[in-house]
Amino acid sequence: DAGVTQSPTHLIKTRGQQVTLRCSPKSGHDTVSWYQQALGQGPQFIFQYYEEEERQRGNFPDRFSGHQFPNYSSELNVNALLLGDSALYLCASSSQGTYGYTFGSGTRLTVV
Amino acid sequence: KQEVTQIPAALSVPEGENLVLNCSFTDSAIYNLQWFRQDPGKGLTSLLLIQSSQREQTSGRLNASLDKSSGRSTLYIAASQPGDSATYLCAVNTNAGKSTFGDGTTLTVKP
């Protein structure tokens, strides 16, 4: 039973560029949440997708957007990258109404 | 706005000690609380999930308690081992599915 899969594992981008991160949820899960984790801090909630719609959003600018596909996988897009966007991006999946989260290993994004 | 605080930020103990990690939250209207372990540069591994109606959960050498009224949870680790060295995070979840994390406690268990 595959857990949460994220790709790529590492990424280096230049300021101003755009990036797309991908997440496949654990089998049987229908809800995907994205988090940003800066070094030495806890994960910060970006947004959550369920039934292909954004259901909840944290305090992140519109440069951060996402999508969920019919197979429940999800993408996180970040436009106009800033140096401060450098972080570990974590995807978590769950079943709607249970909220016991399973996390992926994350994508380490470095903006130079 | 929910705020989650974990104390201490770092802890170093000799192997074999029992220890307690603390998590406090400001809004008691939670759906559940989850403890995670994170190794350096890695993702989060779920340790224990406590529903709001529960008082505690146990898994092996780990025991987590929840006191919603006081806004506190503790993670008890018995007979600590060097392999327990990691950062431990608690997350408070609302019934709308939003999670708020603390900044974690970094545990070092010395052989």
Side-chain angles (χ1 to χ4, degrees):
Chain A
D1 180 21
V4 177
T5 304
Q6 291 188 243
S7 63
T9 54
H10 295 84
L11 204 51
I12 300 175
K13 289 287 189 177
T14 304
R15 274 182 302 175
Q17 285 189 317
Q18 179 265 344
V19 67
T20 298
L21 310 182
R22 295 177 175 83
C23 173
S24 294
K26 180 179 178 179
S27 177
H29 285 179
D30 56 11
T31 303
V32 174
S33 302
W34 287 92
Y35 295 82
Q36 180 194 66
Q37 186 178 25
L39 203 61
Q41 297 182 14
Q44 299 293 314
F45 176 77
I46 302 175
F47 43 54
Q48 182 184 85
Y49 277 84
Y50 171 65
E51 292 186 332
E52 302 179 47
E53 290 187 6
E54 183 182 291
R55 299 289 180 165
Q56 290 275 329
R57 188 176 183 93
N59 189 25
F60 279 80
D62 292 344
R63 297 187 299 108
F64 290 77
S65 63
H67 188 77
Q68 186 179 35
F69 299 94
N71 66 354
Y72 308 119
S73 66
S74 176
E75 290 182 348
L76 164 65
N77 301 292
V78 187
N79 295 321
L81 284 167
L82 304 173
L83 295 179
D85 295 331
S86 296
L88 180 66
Y89 288 84
L90 295 163
C91 169
S93 71
S94 60
S95 294
Q96 189 68 11
T98 61
Y99 306 129
Y101 293 97
T102 300
F103 277 78
S105 297
T107 294
R108 172 69 64 186
L109 172 65
T110 302
V111 182
V112 297
Chain B
K1 176 188 173 185
Q2 179 74 271
E3 294 182 1
V4 180
T5 303
Q6 291 189 245
I7 295 174
L11 182 63
S12 180
V13 300
E15 182 177 4
E17 270 204 7
N18 302 325
L19 57 102
V20 174
L21 308 181
N22 297 293
C23 172
S24 62
F25 47 95
T26 56
D27 186 349
S28 62
I30 68 171
Y31 190 74
N32 59 38
L33 184 146
Q34 199 165 358
W35 281 93
F36 294 89
R37 168 186 172 138
Q38 186 174 33
D39 293 294
K42 304 296 185 182
L44 277 61
T45 300
S46 180
L47 299 174
L48 290 164
L49 172 68
I50 310 177
Q51 300 295 343
S52 62
S53 59
Q54 296 176 320
R55 297 285 293 184
E56 65 178 319
Q57 282 284 336
T58 298
S59 176
R61 294 183 294 109
L62 306 179
N63 175 277
S65 68
L66 173 64
D67 184 342
K68 249 183 40 169
S69 60
S70 67
R72 294 180 183 176
S73 177
T74 62
L75 178 67
Y76 174 83
I77 302 176
S80 58
Q81 303 170 359
D84 294 331
S85 298
T87 295
Y88 291 81
L89 294 153
C90 75
V92 174
N93 303 317
T94 70
N95 60 2
K98 182 177 177 180
S99 290
T100 304
F101 280 81
D103 285 336
T105 294
T106 299
L107 173 65
T108 302
V109 181
K110 299 178 180 178

